[in-house]
């Protein structure tokens, strides 16, 4: 488990080494990650810093400790893959995937069962 954040840490280090803050202005990488200079970093580096912090936090989060952190390489959000609305957070099949239907919002309003019974009664008179 200590190595679960190594890949994102390496990506953050690579991003820092290639940034203008380190290459041109000759600041230390640690200084570039702190508030005065973090705003000058590329968005990719800022996202990697946030992701690395969440990964480290996940190592002590009791909800994630049982399953461990998800490796960065299989994360669909980072790779830009399409998100499947049928997936759920935990393992297993979604409970109501086959019964729920998508709606467009233009469907006619279904009559209440009481209205249907009243119509049947009126027809009988």
């Amino acid at each position: 488990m200590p190595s679960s954040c190594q890949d994102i840490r390496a990506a953050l280090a690579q991003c820092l080494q290639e940034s203008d803050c380190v290459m041109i202005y000759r600041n230390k990488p640690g200084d570039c990650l702190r508030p005065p200079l973090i705003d000058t970093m590329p968005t990719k580096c800022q996202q990697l810093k946030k992701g690395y912090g969440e990964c480290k936090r996940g190592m002590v989060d009791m909800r994630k400790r049982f399953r461990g952190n998800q490796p960065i390489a299989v994360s669909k959000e980072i790779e830009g893959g399409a998100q499947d609305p049928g997936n759920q957070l935990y393992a297993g099949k979604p409970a109501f995937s086959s019964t729920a239907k998508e709606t467009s919002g233009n469907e006619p309003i279904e009559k209440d069962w009481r209205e249907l019974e009243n119509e049947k009664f009126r027809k009988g008179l």
Side-chain angles (χ1 to χ4, degrees):
M1 189 139 116
S3 64
S4 65
C5 298
Q6 291 301 317
D7 50 354
I8 194 166
R9 183 177 185 261
L12 177 61
Q14 182 69 27
C15 185
L16 281 171
Q17 290 298 324
E18 295 171 355
S19 69
D20 290 345
C21 183
V22 174
M23 295 293 290
I24 296 175
Y25 300 113
R26 299 289 183 197
N27 293 315
K28 294 179 184 175
D31 294 337
C32 293
L33 292 174
R34 292 194 180 85
L37 298 174
I38 189 68
D39 298 329
T40 63
M41 297 296 293
T43 307
K44 179 183 175 185
C45 292
Q46 292 177 4
Q47 290 172 343
L48 285 170
K49 178 183 181 281
K50 182 179 179 186
Y52 182 63
E54 289 175 0
C55 182
K56 295 296 276 187
R57 192 175 308 117
M59 292 177 73
V60 295
D61 187 4
M62 296 307 275
R63 293 172 291 181
K64 291 184 181 180
R65 282 188 69 169
F66 181 73
R67 291 177 289 141
N69 283 323
Q70 184 176 7
I72 195 81
V74 296
S75 177
K76 291 181 181 177
E77 293 84 16
I78 302 254
E79 291 177 359
Q83 293 185 1
D84 185 15
N87 289 344
Q88 65 183 53
L89 181 61
Y90 298 104
K93 294 181 181 177
F96 302 107
S97 65
S98 62
T99 58
K101 61 180 180 179
E102 292 187 24
T103 60
S104 65
N106 296 327
E107 291 80 15
I109 299 173
E110 295 181 14
K111 292 186 177 182
D112 189 34
W113 65 273
R114 292 173 286 238
E115 293 175 15
L116 294 173
E117 290 295 323
N118 286 338
E119 287 179 9
K120 286 181 187 177
F121 180 74
R122 288 183 193 125
K123 286 181 184 177
L125 289 178

